[in-house]
Amino acid sequence: MSDYLSQLNEIQRKAVTQINGPVMVIAGPGSGKTRVLTYRIAHIIQSGIPPYQILALTFTNKAAREMKERIEKVVGANTRNIWAGTFHSIFARILRSEAEKIDYPSDFTIYDTDDSKSLISTIIKGMNLNKEHYNVNVVRNRISSAKSNLIPPRGYKENETLMAEDKMARRPYFHKIYAEYSKRCKRAGAMDFDDLLFQFYFLLHTNPDNVLEKYRDRFKYVLVDEFQDTNYLQYAIIKKLVDFKGSGKNICVVGDDAQSIYAFRGATIENILDFEQDYPDLKTFKLEENYRSTSHIVQAANQVIEYNSKQLKKKIWSHKGEGRKIKLIKAMTEGEEAKRVADSILELKTRNHLHNKDVAILYRTNSQSRTFEESLRNYNIPYKVFGGTSFYQRKEVKDFLAYLRLTINPLDEEALKRIINFPRRGIGNSTLDKITTFASEMDKPVWDSLLDVPLGTAAKKNVGKFVNLMSVFMEKADKTDAYGIASYVAKQSGILNHFKSDTTIEGMNRLENLNALMDGIKDFVENDEVIDDATMPEKTLAAYLQSIALYTDLDSTDSDDKVTMMTSHAAKGLEFKSVYVVGLEEDLFPSFMSKNDRTAIEEERRLFYVAITRAEEFLTLSFAKSRYQYGKTRYNEPSRFLDEIDEQHLEGDISSTRKFGRDNEIFFSNTTPGPSKVVGNFKPLQKKPVIDIDPKDFKPSPGSSIEAGQKVLHLRFGTGKVIATDGKGDGRVATIHFHAVGSKRLMLKFAKLQILN
């Protein structure tokens, strides 16, 4: 047995050895949370408690396995009897043995997401309800939310507020769907993922003597990891099990309110903020020494989170020394931002001997990955998209690209099969099978067979409509640029409305990805730089799809040495030597959905706190002054979170993050108060003189008027001097030396240049 207590600092040791009574461990980022939780369980076992009387609830099975492995290394005990696992896995295990008490078979089925959606879809169809008003994903999420808040179907129907919300949302029969869904699940002997918690609570509540007391007596010690991520139902179950009314049960919760970032999944930060109210004799231990990051990063994180009013106060500090200052990157466009980040990664690797796997790029939404993927590929920097699919491999992106592929090449059979019934237009799999079989027998392309295959009246009519629709797309593609036809296809195909109708988090993400793809096409059309004089840039749909093939058809590599790209949410619990937090602009990070909502802004700030504390040595923050959104250029202000970091921790164009001189006191008082030592007497930092471009005042001059010797302004490249022009008409090209980026050759037909003299 190892001397595990000697491996802990003083406060960690106290948290580990205080095994009796209610305990809360507030664990800052990089403070050794996992070690404390593991050693605490080991210490309980060493104190003579049988492992089977310990219940440790985690949020991943991986965390539970690693916990058991570490405990066994520490105390040499058999850890198989510890009840360690996720809420769902532990409660499912108990439900198997107690199911008959709530009229379920012990071998009940667990429905996955697709099973649930299929059943809900069947119910909606059977009730003859409007599919747009009763979107399957929306209905499923609302049922999940009801269960997470302990609202059964009958309670839902009796809740006037919920019923009024449904009426306003034009889904007054939701309560009937919920009731029918619950009845069908019960009849099928099935539980969905939420039922594993919902039915477990029901089991404890309805069997207080023979079930609840049994497991209260079984679990003498209850430990909960990542307590800030628990929802209302999870905490209700915990309180049931530990008999929170004062029976002397031993509960330990470990977490960090400053890293509570899953409200959209139902997480309730009040669980950790108000924990002491349920346990007046609570002992609290704050782990404030950060073993991960250098001092500049840690102090910046402290300054940011201090602006949140709802928090458990703590002051994180680092033993790793001052370290490098946090680098700021200001870009004119999202394309320039991605390029400068790629440049920075190359420089960082060269100067500091970092590997690709030491670097992470964190963004607010998955749709932001597109520009960074393109820049990294252009620089031959291998990367992986963590916790998601590479942008061009996402289903919604591939679906829309299939429309565009078929528009320029009707012989593309895979594209045709992918979208002939998406969105749904009454051409089912059986009809498609008949079409492909007929085409094969006639030895003709599928497209050429669509109008000839013998079909029923309805199917033939639907296929005819599809052919007419695609024929219009093909005709228009010859008359407009890539963005023009893509916009037309998105609207007329129904794909845009299809994604707009899905208002769930997943649906909104899919719509964001579709819009990001459209923005990429817009950027392709407006990009004016000439790379190869032998091949003048074309702006056709065919040219765009050819350029995309370079990004989607690269050889894969088995190397694990790759830059990691992920959302800030997905980065929680991870760490990297170098982290880039990108897209730090108002309405992006923080999200536009948090506008005028103090609670939402505080959650966004916690997400930013999580993002920057992933960095060990190097932290870079970047933003763009303009970026495409819905095909139009949107001008942005830097994120308020950049204002909240003192300039002593920053290097780069610091003045550009100061809201262009906006009064910070007014700015913050409109949303959420800053720390008490700042609000009321905050003086805006003095701006450093800087030459800047305000995109709002930019007025491009006609390309025909650009001549050698002129001084010009470009939104992306800044100011420069025209060295020479060559070519005629639409093929006229200017060679311009820009002060910031050197010489560029721009096609004047597309270039947006403002003459300055």
Side-chain angles (χ1 to χ4, degrees):
M1 179 182 70
S2 63
D3 185 11
Y4 55 92
L5 293 180
S6 65
Q7 301 174 33
L8 304 170
N9 64 34
E10 182 180 357
I11 194 68
Q12 289 175 334
R13 192 178 304 113
K14 288 180 179 179
V16 165
T17 56
Q18 179 62 52
I19 64 173
N20 294 318
V23 170
M24 178 164 64
V25 180
I26 305 300
S31 61
K33 170 183 73 74
T34 303
R35 171 173 288 192
V36 167
L37 188 61
T38 300
Y39 285 12
R40 180 180 172 84
I41 296 174
H43 194 69
I44 292 172
I45 295 173
Q46 283 298 107
S47 301
I49 305 299
Y52 66 82
Q53 291 190 331
I54 300 171
L55 172 63
L57 296 169
T58 66
F59 274 82
T60 66
N61 287 311
K62 179 183 177 184
R65 286 195 302 271
E66 291 178 350
M67 187 187 302
K68 286 185 175 183
E69 291 170 0
R70 290 190 183 193
I71 294 168
E72 195 160 355
K73 288 179 181 178
V74 172
V75 299
N78 188 338
T79 60
R80 285 182 298 176
N81 292 327
I82 297 175
W83 287 65
T86 65
F87 285 83
H88 294 86
S89 64
I90 293 292
F91 299 161
R93 177 180 170 185
I94 296 174
L95 281 168
R96 293 287 184 197
S97 63
E98 309 285 354
E100 74 280 355
K101 295 183 177 65
I102 53 173
D103 298 324
Y104 267 90
S106 60
D107 58 348
F108 60 83
T109 300
I110 298 176
Y111 277 174
D112 63 15
T113 301
D114 289 338
D115 294 325
S116 297
K117 288 168 64 175
S118 177
L119 176 54
I120 291 169
S121 181
T122 299
I123 294 170
I124 292 171
K125 184 178 181 180
M127 294 175 65
N128 199 28
L129 297 174
N130 187 313
K131 291 183 180 180
E132 291 186 7
H133 297 162
Y134 293 90
N135 180 279
V136 172
N137 288 323
V138 173
V139 171
R140 177 183 169 275
N141 282 9
R142 196 159 177 84
I143 290 174
S144 174
S145 179
K147 290 179 180 178
S148 295
N149 286 281
L150 273 177
I151 304 173
R154 180 180 295 179
Y156 191 100
K157 183 180 179 181
E158 294 171 354
N159 189 306
E160 294 181 1
T161 301
L162 294 174
M163 294 295 287
E165 287 178 3
D166 286 339
K167 188 175 181 179
M168 288 289 292
R170 301 169 71 182
R171 52 169 183 260
Y173 299 112
F174 168 81
H175 67 285
K176 292 188 176 182
I177 300 173
Y178 183 16
E180 182 66 15
Y181 175 77
S182 298
K183 187 174 83 172
R184 296 264 195 109
C185 285
K186 188 72 172 286
R187 191 170 67 196
M191 295 188 195
D192 64 20
F193 207 55
D194 297 299
D195 277 327
L196 296 177
L197 274 64
F198 186 78
Q199 295 295 348
F200 183 69
Y201 181 89
F202 182 70
L203 170 70
L204 299 180
H205 184 71
T206 55
N207 296 272
D209 298 326
N210 59 346
V211 177
L212 179 57
E213 285 305 320
K214 172 183 176 180
Y215 289 99
R216 279 179 175 173
D217 187 61
R218 167 73 59 82
F219 302 131
K220 300 294 187 185
Y221 290 84
V222 176
L223 302 93
V224 185
D225 191 16
E226 303 287 5
F227 185 62
Q228 77 281 350
D229 294 334
T230 55
N231 62 25
Y232 176 82
L233 176 54
Q234 287 166 325
Y235 188 32
I237 293 172
I238 292 166
K239 288 190 285 188
K240 279 274 189 190
L241 286 173
V242 300
D243 190 13
F244 79 103
K245 294 179 181 178
S247 64
K249 296 293 183 180
N250 306 302
I251 179 172
C252 173
V253 299
V254 181
D256 181 7
D257 60 293
Q259 298 186 66
S260 178
I261 59 174
Y262 294 123
F264 68 95
R265 294 181 185 171
T268 308
I269 191 174
E270 283 73 21
N271 289 351
I272 192 169
L273 294 178
D274 301 335
F275 190 67
E276 189 172 5
Q277 295 179 18
D278 289 332
Y279 300 88
D281 54 343
L282 178 72
K283 289 183 171 58
T284 301
F285 302 94
K286 297 181 180 180
L287 308 183
E288 297 176 304
E289 182 176 1
N290 182 297
Y291 292 90
R292 176 189 300 153
S293 309
T294 54
S295 184
H296 277 303
I297 296 170
V298 168
Q299 290 183 48
N302 282 335
Q303 290 173 350
V304 168
I305 205 63
E306 197 174 355
Y307 278 83
N308 273 9
S309 59
K310 296 170 67 176
Q311 62 173 293
L312 299 169
K313 291 288 186 180
K314 60 182 176 300
K315 200 75 173 179
I316 307 301
W317 58 279
S318 172
H319 75 296
K320 292 183 67 174
E322 189 174 66
R324 306 289 184 90
K325 286 189 175 184
I326 300 166
K327 184 178 179 180
L328 287 178
I329 291 179
K330 180 191 76 170
M332 298 308 302
T333 66
E334 75 259 51
E336 183 191 347
E337 179 191 30
K339 181 179 181 299
R340 292 187 62 183
V341 165
D343 281 332
S344 176
I345 291 173
L346 284 179
E347 181 181 359
L348 193 67
K349 287 169 57 182
T350 301
R351 290 190 176 186
N352 298 283
H353 309 292
L354 264 62
H355 299 288
N356 292 315
K357 63 184 178 182
D358 296 326
V359 181
I361 300 174
L362 308 183
Y363 33 75
R364 180 61 182 82
T365 66
N366 275 313
S367 61
Q368 290 172 255
S369 74
R370 177 186 61 83
T371 53
F372 294 96
E373 288 190 61
E374 292 175 1
S375 284
L376 292 179
R377 292 189 183 203
N378 286 337
Y379 280 74
N380 292 318
I381 300 174
Y383 69 88
K384 60 181 176 182
V385 179
F386 182 87
T389 309
S390 176
F391 182 82
Y392 291 106
Q393 294 302 313
R394 291 169 190 155
K395 181 182 182 302
E396 57 273 18
V397 172
K398 296 188 74 165
D399 286 339
F400 186 58
L401 287 176
Y403 268 104
L404 302 185
R405 285 164 49 192
L406 192 63
T407 296
I408 65 166
N409 177 19
L411 301 182
D412 189 334
E413 184 174 329
E414 292 305 312
L416 186 149
K417 290 192 292 186
R418 188 178 186 96
I419 52 91
I420 191 170
N421 198 39
F422 181 76
R424 293 183 182 278
R425 50 175 60 90
I427 306 175
N429 290 335
S430 60
T431 300
L432 183 57
D433 288 342
K434 290 178 183 178
I435 293 171
T436 54
T437 300
F438 179 83
S440 178
E441 290 174 351
M442 301 299 293
D443 196 23
K444 294 172 60 177
V446 173
W447 173 261
D448 293 343
S449 304
L450 289 176
L451 297 180
D452 298 330
V453 61
L455 298 170
T457 304
K460 195 169 187 67
K461 182 179 179 182
N462 292 332
V463 170
K465 287 182 178 179
F466 174 72
V467 171
N468 290 338
L469 180 70
M470 292 306 306
S471 297
V472 172
F473 294 165
M474 295 169 190
E475 182 181 352
K476 287 187 175 293
D478 294 330
K479 301 176 181 178
T480 185
D481 61 29
Y483 183 74
I485 183 59
S487 300
Y488 185 81
V489 170
K491 294 173 184 175
Q492 299 303 317
S493 66
I495 197 169
L496 189 60
N497 286 335
H498 173 80
F499 289 125
K500 283 182 177 179
S501 67
D502 186 351
T503 57
T504 63
I505 294 294
E506 296 85 354
M508 294 173 69
N509 285 337
R510 284 189 282 268
L511 180 60
E512 281 187 358
N513 288 332
L514 180 60
N515 286 325
L517 180 64
M518 293 297 300
D519 294 339
I521 300 173
K522 181 77 167 180
D523 188 38
F524 170 82
V525 168
E526 296 196 351
N527 186 2
D528 47 19
E529 185 173 0
V530 177
I531 303 299
D532 182 1
D533 283 340
T535 307
M536 289 299 185
E538 295 183 17
K539 307 302 177 180
T540 63
L541 182 57
Y544 170 74
L545 291 174
Q546 180 176 317
S547 71
I548 288 299
L550 299 176
Y551 295 117
T552 58
D553 197 31
L554 292 179
D555 293 333
S556 60
T557 173
D558 294 327
S559 172
D560 288 327
D561 186 28
K562 300 175 182 178
V563 171
T564 300
M565 297 176 59
M566 67 180 83
T567 64
S568 296
H569 280 103
K572 188 169 178 289
L574 303 177
E575 56 187 41
F576 303 88
K577 287 185 179 179
S578 176
V579 170
Y580 292 79
V581 185
V582 301
L584 286 168
E585 300 135 35
E586 287 295 304
D587 293 340
L588 184 55
F589 202 172
S591 166
F592 72 93
M593 291 188 290
S594 64
K595 266 188 173 181
N596 304 318
D597 185 337
R598 173 172 164 175
T599 299
I601 284 291
E602 293 207 353
E603 171 125 345
E604 291 287 303
R605 186 175 284 110
R606 292 194 295 270
L607 182 59
F608 180 62
Y609 177 88
V610 167
I612 63 179
T613 54
R614 301 309 94 195
E616 297 176 7
E617 299 178 38
F618 306 96
L619 175 61
T620 303
L621 311 176
S622 71
F623 66 96
K625 291 185 68 176
S626 67
R627 67 176 64 236
Y628 282 123
Q629 188 176 42
Y630 311 118
K632 296 182 180 179
T633 301
R634 186 189 75 193
Y635 302 108
N636 312 304
E637 293 184 344
S639 170
R640 68 191 71 191
F641 303 148
L642 295 173
D643 256 343
E644 297 167 3
I645 301 174
D646 193 282
E647 63 178 346
Q648 67 176 309
H649 303 303
L650 304 171
E651 66 177 13
D653 192 359
I654 300 171
S655 61
S656 64
T657 70
R658 303 296 136 178
K659 306 300 178 206
F660 307 112
R662 176 168 51 197
D663 187 327
N664 286 274
E665 180 181 343
I666 295 174
F667 176 70
F668 287 116
S669 65
N670 284 341
T671 52
T672 176
S676 57
K677 68 179 183 180
V678 175
V679 169
N681 60 3
F682 182 74
K683 295 181 180 179
L685 294 170
Q686 295 296 314
K687 279 192 170 187
K688 295 181 180 179
V690 60
I691 298 174
D692 206 351
I693 305 169
D694 189 343
K696 297 176 184 177
D697 298 330
F698 180 78
K699 296 179 181 178
S701 305
S704 59
S705 63
I706 303 297
E707 300 292 348
Q710 292 173 332
K711 186 178 180 182
V712 294
L713 179 65
H714 188 279
L715 271 179
R716 181 178 299 177
F717 304 132
T719 57
K721 183 177 181 180
V722 181
I723 305 302
T725 63
D726 55 83
K728 297 180 180 180
D730 289 345
R732 196 159 175 261
V733 174
T735 302
I736 306 170
H737 180 78
F738 291 99
H739 305 305
V741 297
S743 293
K744 298 283 184 181
R745 284 177 57 75
L746 305 182
M747 191 170 225
L748 294 176
K749 177 183 178 181
F750 304 112
K752 293 183 178 179
L753 298 163
Q754 180 179 342
I755 299 173
L756 299 179
N757 60 354

